[in-house]
Amino acid sequence: MITFFAALVILIVGYMIYGKIVEKIFAPNDHATPAVANPDGVDYVPISTGKAFLIQLLNIAGLGPIFGAISGAMWGPSVYLWIVCGTLLAGAVHDFMSGMLSERNDGASISEVTGKYLGPVMHNVMRVFSVVLLVMVGVVFMVGPAGLLARLTPEWLDIRVWTVIILIYYFLATLLPIDKIIGRVYPLFGILLILMAIGIAIGTIIHSGERPMMELTLKNLFPGTVDSVTGKVTGVRPIWPLMFITVACGAISGFHATQSPIVSRCIKSEREGRKIFYGAMVAEGIIALIWAAAAVAFFWNKDGAGTGLSALKAIGGGNSNSVYDMCVALLGKFGGPIALLGVIVCPITSGDTAFRGARMTIFDWFKLDEKKIRVRLSVAVPLLLIGYGISFINYNVVWRYFSWSNQTLAMIVLWAASVYLATNYGPNPNRCWLTVVPATFMSAVSITYLLYAPECFNLGAHGTTGLTVSYVGGVVVACVFLAIFLLTTYRNPAKSLERQQNVDISRKAAH
C-alpha cells in the first residue's frame, strides 16, 4: 500500500512541478485562439476551462487506463513505475505538445501538424495512419462496453444489439456540433469517471486485509506455464517491450494526439493548456494507477498461493470479464453496477470522439467544409460502417494492433514536437530534451515490439535469440532516429533563430 500512495503523490506533485517546467519551455502567449478568432458553430466553439478539461479527459481515457492497466498488472507491481514515469515524462508532455501545436496551427488535426514539421512523405503517411488508428480505437471502444452491457441486460440484448445501439449514438456524436452532445453530457460523465476510480481505490483499500496491495518489485511476475514432467516454466512474456505497449493509454498514447485537436479548437487561451492537456493525462495516469494496483491486489492474492495472476491471464487480462469481477467483488451489490456504468460510459465517450477525430482528419486532408451537413454525412456514414465491419474481428487481435500503432503514433508526434522546439527556439538542448528523450525512448519501445510480437515480425518465436535481436534492433533504430534529428535540426542554427524571430514578429502583429 505504501508503493501505491507514494506513486499517487508523485503523480500529483509531478503535475505541479514538471507540468510548469513543460509550460515554461513551450512559452504560451496571449494571441487569439482558433475558437476565439474563427468560431464556426460546429468544431470551433469556445468552452470553459473546466468543461474543456473534462471533455479532454473523457476523450483520451476510454478503456485504456482500465483494460490496459489491468493487463499490465500481469507483470506485477513493476507496472506502477511505467505508469508514473511514462505519464509525467512522456504521456503528459505528448498530450500537451500535440494540443498546443494544434492550437498554434488553427486547430489542425495531428496528421497536418506532423506533416508540417516532418515533411510531405510523413504528412501523407500520418493521414492514413491516423484514420486507420482512429477507426480501430472506435471499434475497441464500441465492442468493449457492448460486452459489459450484454452481461448486465437480458439475453436478447446481446453484444451485437448493443454494438448497433452504440453505433447509432456514435453517428449522432460524430455528426452534430460539439456543443450539442459532447459539450453538454461529457462534464457529467467526467465526474462519474473520477468517482468510479475513487470507488475502486476505496474498495481495494477496504479489502486490503484479505487482498493486500503488493509493494514495488522489479521482478517479472508474468504467469508462465509449468511443465508437469520437467518443471520448466515457459510462456513468461518479457516486461520490455510488452508491458510498455500493453499499458498504452495509462502511460502514453498516440491516440490522445488525435483527440487533442478537438479541444484545441475550443480553448479560450493558450494559458489553459497545462491544466487541460497535461492535467488530463495526469488524471488518466492516476486512474490507471488505481486500476493496476487494484488488479494486482485482487488477482495476485486471490488464491492465497501467489499464483492469482494466472487467473487474470486465463480470462485475457483487462476486459469486460475482469472488470465485472473486480467491481462486483470490491464494491458489492450496489457499488458494482455504479462502477460498471463508469467503465461503460468511459469508452463510449472516447469511441464517439475517435470517429469524430477521423472525420476531422479527412476534412483537413481534403479541405472539406464542416459546416455542410451533407458533406459531414458523406464522411461519417462510411467510417461508421467500416468500424462496424471490423467489430466482427477477434477483440484481442484488434487490441494488439491498436496498442502497437498507438505507441508508434506517439513516437512520431514526439519527434514532430522535437522538430518544432528546435526550429522555433533555435538549437537549444535545454528546450529540446523535453521531447527528444521520450521520443527516443518510445522509438526503442515501438521498434522492439515490432520485431518481437507475433502480429509483426515474430522474432519472439525464436526464444532468447529472437528477444536479443529485438532488443538490439530497437535500440539501434532509436539511436538512428536520434542521429537523424540531431544532424538535420542542428545543421543550420542561424536559420532556426531567424525563423524564431519571424514567428515572434508574426505573433506580435496578430496580437
Side-chain angles (χ1 to χ4, degrees):
M1 192 177 297
I2 294 175
T3 300
F4 169 75
F5 282 108
L8 183 61
V9 169
I10 292 172
L11 282 171
I12 295 171
V13 174
Y15 163 75
M16 294 186 289
I17 297 177
Y18 197 70
K20 288 185 178 179
I21 293 173
V22 173
E23 181 181 50
K24 184 177 180 180
I25 288 175
F26 186 83
N29 58 46
D30 294 320
H31 77 274
T33 64
V36 174
N38 305 301
D40 68 355
V42 179
D43 293 323
Y44 295 81
V45 179
I47 57 178
S48 67
T49 303
K51 279 188 176 182
F53 169 83
L54 290 171
I55 291 173
Q56 176 71 4
L57 176 60
L58 279 171
N59 283 358
I60 67 175
L63 290 170
I66 301 171
F67 282 14
I70 294 174
S71 293
M74 288 190 289
W75 282 271
S78 58
V79 71
Y80 304 160
L81 277 180
W82 174 229
I83 290 174
V84 172
C85 297
T87 294
L88 293 175
L89 304 179
V93 173
H94 166 276
D95 289 13
F96 176 84
M97 292 299 296
S98 61
M100 299 306 284
L101 287 180
S102 173
E103 186 274 332
R104 284 196 175 175
N105 286 277
D106 197 32
S109 57
I110 197 59
S111 58
E112 306 306 303
V113 172
T114 53
K116 178 177 180 180
Y117 299 110
L118 297 181
V121 174
M122 187 56 68
H123 194 178
N124 289 321
V125 169
M126 281 294 292
R127 283 168 167 168
V128 176
F129 196 82
S130 297
V131 173
V132 171
L133 174 64
L134 283 166
V135 172
M136 282 199 296
V137 169
V139 173
V140 168
F141 293 165
M142 175 168 57
V143 177
L148 283 169
L149 286 165
R151 291 195 61 169
L152 297 172
T153 53
E155 281 189 27
W156 66 272
L157 285 171
D158 60 14
I159 190 170
R160 278 295 128 207
V161 174
W162 278 114
T163 298
V164 172
I165 293 172
I166 293 171
L167 198 66
I168 293 171
Y169 165 73
Y170 282 179
F171 172 75
L172 295 174
T174 302
L175 196 66
L176 295 175
I178 192 168
D179 58 339
K180 299 303 180 184
I181 293 181
I182 294 174
R184 292 183 180 180
V185 302
Y186 269 38
L188 297 175
F189 290 157
I191 294 171
L192 175 62
L193 170 63
I194 294 170
L195 292 176
M196 177 266 295
I198 293 173
I200 289 294
I202 293 173
T204 302
I205 293 171
I206 291 174
H207 290 85
S208 60
E210 59 193 89
R211 305 177 191 273
M213 300 172 73
M214 291 182 66
E215 303 301 342
L216 180 63
T217 175
L218 299 182
K219 183 179 180 182
N220 185 353
L221 300 180
F222 192 91
T225 302
V226 181
D227 189 285
S228 59
V229 178
T230 63
K232 185 178 179 181
V233 179
T234 58
V236 176
R237 308 189 78 190
I239 291 177
W240 174 278
L242 299 185
M243 185 187 74
F244 294 83
I245 292 290
T246 300
V247 173
C249 303
I252 179 172
S253 168
F255 165 65
H256 298 182
T258 67
Q259 299 301 284
S260 293
I262 295 176
V263 175
S264 73
R265 299 183 182 196
C266 300
I267 64 174
K268 297 178 181 179
S269 168
E270 270 197 3
R271 302 187 188 281
E272 300 173 357
R274 180 174 69 91
K275 296 177 183 177
I276 295 170
F277 299 114
Y278 196 95
M281 182 59 223
V282 172
E284 181 172 7
I286 292 173
I287 293 170
L289 175 67
I290 289 172
W291 279 97
V296 171
F298 184 83
F299 288 100
W300 179 256
N301 298 282
K302 188 172 183 179
D303 62 2
T307 58
L309 290 181
S310 297
L312 179 57
K313 178 185 176 183
I315 60 176
N319 54 37
S320 58
N321 292 321
S322 53
V323 170
Y324 182 87
D325 293 341
M326 289 173 63
C327 287
V328 172
L330 294 176
L331 297 176
K333 186 184 297 184
F334 300 104
I338 294 174
L340 277 173
L341 180 61
V343 177
I344 291 166
V345 166
C346 180
I348 290 176
T349 52
S350 286
D352 60 6
T353 50
F355 282 110
R356 188 182 186 92
R359 190 263 294 169
M360 288 167 51
T361 299
I362 292 173
F363 270 57
D364 286 351
W365 184 350
F366 295 102
K367 311 300 180 187
L368 302 176
D369 186 359
E370 70 270 5
K371 295 180 182 179
K372 297 180 179 179
I373 192 167
R374 176 179 57 81
V375 180
R376 298 208 299 274
L377 275 170
S378 67
V379 175
V381 172
L383 282 174
L384 292 167
L385 290 176
I386 291 171
Y388 181 72
I390 296 174
S391 71
F392 286 89
I393 300 175
N394 183 279
Y395 178 82
N396 290 326
V397 173
V398 176
W399 180 267
R400 287 201 302 270
Y401 279 101
F402 155 67
S403 296
W404 175 78
S405 58
N406 188 32
Q407 303 302 62
T408 302
L409 178 58
M411 171 195 77
I412 296 171
V413 172
L414 284 169
W415 281 122
S418 300
V419 173
Y420 167 82
L421 290 177
T423 302
N424 287 275
Y425 295 101
N428 185 350
N430 291 330
R431 290 183 184 273
C432 293
W433 63 262
L434 176 74
T435 51
V436 169
V437 172
T440 305
F441 180 83
M442 291 310 300
S443 296
V445 170
S446 296
I447 299 302
T448 303
Y449 185 85
L450 175 67
L451 295 172
Y452 179 86
E455 61 268 23
C456 302
F457 285 93
N458 197 26
L459 293 183
H462 300 286
T464 304
T465 301
L467 181 61
T468 302
V469 173
S470 300
Y471 286 166
V472 173
V475 172
V476 169
V477 173
C479 290
V480 170
F481 287 171
L482 176 60
I484 292 173
F485 170 79
L486 294 175
L487 289 172
T488 57
T489 306
Y490 289 84
R491 183 175 296 168
N492 193 343
K495 186 176 181 180
S496 294
L497 292 174
E498 180 185 353
R499 288 181 182 178
Q500 173 57 26
Q501 292 172 355
N502 293 334
V503 170
D504 290 340
I505 292 172
S506 299
R507 285 177 183 164
K508 289 179 181 178
H511 181 61

